Amino acid sequence: KKHHDMKIVYSPMHGAGVRLVPASLKKFGFTNVIMVKEQAVIDGDFPTVESPNPEERKTMAMAIDLAAKEGADLVLATDPDSDRIGVALRNKKGEYVLLNGNQTLVLLLSYQLTRWAERGELDGNQYVVKTIVTSQMANAVADHFKVKCYDCLTGFKYIGEQIKLFEEAREKNGGKLDHKKGAYEYEFGFEESYGCLVGTHARDKDAVVAVMALCEAAAYYKSLGKTLWDQMLEIYAKYGYYREALESITIPGAEGAEKIEAIIAGLRADIPQTIGEEKVIAMRDYRARIRTSLADGKQTQLLLPKSNVLYFELEGDGWCCVRPSGTEPKI
């Protein structure tokens, strides 16, 4: 509560967050929330942006410019249906740095687990869930707190499925937690595409609660004399320096769909020995549900459901994943 007067700039991107987010922050005691007025108008044409995607710097530009003018501590945005969150933090030079989804979610994960540990609420029966294309940095953070980290296929429905499975296991165990019997307690679920779920009130990503959690984290670290940017740098120093990049190739039309399938089929049939300068150690084929080691050709079964996804394990703990989009003509 001590730092609930910090300046927060928020944009709802012409969508549902215009009512939900300010009301929620007010309920949590945050008193200095500055809305981007031009983007606080509900409009399905999204007149102030090319695309209402908080992943893109140009989409966040209006909010960042306002934050620079106001000297804000934190820049936040939600996409129009308020399930994904965009975040920009001020660095030591006073510049606003737009975080990628992995950075935002690792910041939240680290904060949540730190606070639960401080309160003595972690006893080895807790778990978090992430998708296979989300940063392995999350696994390192979870390991540090002795919290189980489950990897699932891309799509929040798979995270929701894990919540259901562990709740059923807990019910079978008389409502008691016991990780030996699969009776875990869900803490956090997230994916690199800027979506997460804190708590079990929903089975999909929820940016309204994510905004509240990030503001709470910012207030907590400010009480320790740090900014969220300081904390991000400390997380890298503690758990390792992870870097991620996404390359989306659009190939429209029926011919495009065939070409995308041909690209994946070619990689499946002729496993590359290197990707860039990195040696490929193994390929996981989630459609065949087989992991193939390149050193000896040994094959092992994968436990996740079937999906047309190829995952290449590289030397030095690197990886590269290739998959078609489920909603767009992209690979």
Side-chain angles (χ1 to χ4, degrees):
K1 289 181 179 179
K2 184 178 178 183
H3 296 287
H4 278 200
D5 61 344
M6 64 182 180
K7 276 190 180 179
I8 301 162
V9 164
Y10 167 68
S11 170
M13 293 293 169
H14 301 289
V18 69
R19 293 187 178 89
L20 295 170
V21 171
S24 300
L25 290 176
K26 185 177 180 181
K27 189 174 181 179
F28 265 57
F30 291 99
T31 58
N32 201 356
V33 179
I34 304 164
M35 290 269 278
V36 181
K37 291 179 182 178
E38 298 90 337
Q39 296 176 333
V41 179
I42 295 177
D43 188 339
D45 290 328
F46 316 118
T48 64
V49 291
E50 286 182 29
S51 168
N53 183 352
E55 298 178 37
E56 298 175 11
R57 178 91 189 186
K58 57 186 176 182
T59 301
M60 296 284 286
M62 199 170 278
I64 290 172
D65 289 346
L66 179 60
K69 182 181 176 182
E70 296 285 347
D73 296 273
L74 192 56
V75 185
L76 299 168
T78 52
D79 67 341
D81 61 347
S82 261
D83 64 354
R84 299 190 306 135
I85 183 173
V87 182
L89 303 178
R90 189 166 51 179
N91 66 15
K92 296 289 188 184
K93 296 177 182 178
E95 303 162 336
Y96 287 90
V97 180
L98 185 63
L99 300 189
N100 65 38
N102 287 305
Q103 291 171 314
T104 299
L105 300 170
V106 166
L107 255 182
L108 267 176
L109 174 65
S110 175
Y111 169 69
Q112 298 282 356
L113 296 184
T114 296
R115 298 296 282 145
W116 283 320
E118 287 175 352
R119 296 201 301 258
E121 295 178 11
L122 300 180
D123 59 9
N125 292 313
Q126 287 72 36
Y127 75 98
V128 297
V129 195
K130 62 181 264 300
T131 60
I132 59 173
V133 294
T134 301
S135 176
Q136 295 290 326
M137 190 175 193
N139 300 70
V141 174
D143 287 346
H144 173 79
F145 288 95
K146 295 181 172 57
V147 169
K148 183 74 174 175
C149 184
Y150 281 88
D151 284 89
C152 64
L153 293 174
T154 305
F156 226 89
K157 64 182 181 181
Y158 293 109
I159 295 174
E161 181 181 47
Q162 287 298 323
I163 297 172
K164 179 185 176 184
L165 291 172
F166 288 121
E167 282 182 346
E168 289 174 349
R170 191 171 173 179
E171 287 173 11
K172 287 180 182 177
N173 198 43
K176 297 179 181 179
L177 293 173
D178 186 348
H179 67 274
K180 294 177 182 177
K181 297 180 180 179
Y184 282 95
E185 180 179 46
Y186 169 87
E187 301 294 350
F188 193 45
F190 48 102
E191 56 186 6
E192 51 78 34
S193 54
Y194 295 70
C196 66
L197 176 64
V198 184
T200 56
H201 60 283
R203 290 295 182 272
D204 204 347
K205 47 193 179 288
D206 177 7
V208 179
V209 173
V211 165
M212 292 191 291
L214 260 175
C215 290
E216 180 186 305
Y220 170 76
Y221 291 120
K222 197 166 185 179
S223 74
L224 302 178
K226 298 190 291 185
T227 65
L228 280 179
W229 180 252
D230 294 331
Q231 179 59 17
M232 188 73 243
L233 297 181
E234 286 188 19
I235 289 172
Y236 279 123
K238 185 171 184 177
Y239 298 106
Y241 292 86
Y242 292 71
R243 185 175 181 180
E244 310 85 26
L246 173 66
E247 185 73 27
S248 294
I249 303 167
T250 301
I251 317 176
E255 289 183 7
E258 291 177 7
K259 189 170 183 179
I260 287 171
E261 179 53 40
I263 291 169
I264 297 173
L267 290 168
R268 182 176 276 120
D270 186 13
I271 302 174
Q273 300 297 304
T274 58
I275 293 179
E277 298 178 356
E278 304 298 323
K279 184 178 178 182
V280 177
I281 296 171
M283 182 183 78
R284 303 180 205 167
D285 182 348
Y286 284 98
R287 189 165 75 180
R289 301 178 75 195
I290 294 291
R291 178 188 182 274
T292 302
S293 168
L294 268 64
D296 54 13
K298 183 180 178 182
Q299 294 189 327
T300 51
Q301 190 77 30
L302 295 172
L303 299 178
L304 293 183
K306 284 186 178 183
S307 185
N308 191 19
V309 175
L310 299 178
Y311 185 107
F312 300 95
E313 300 173 20
L314 310 178
E315 276 190 329
D317 295 327
W319 58 273
C320 178
C321 191
V322 181
R323 65 185 183 90
S325 168
T327 56
E328 299 175 275
K330 290 181 179 180
I331 180 169

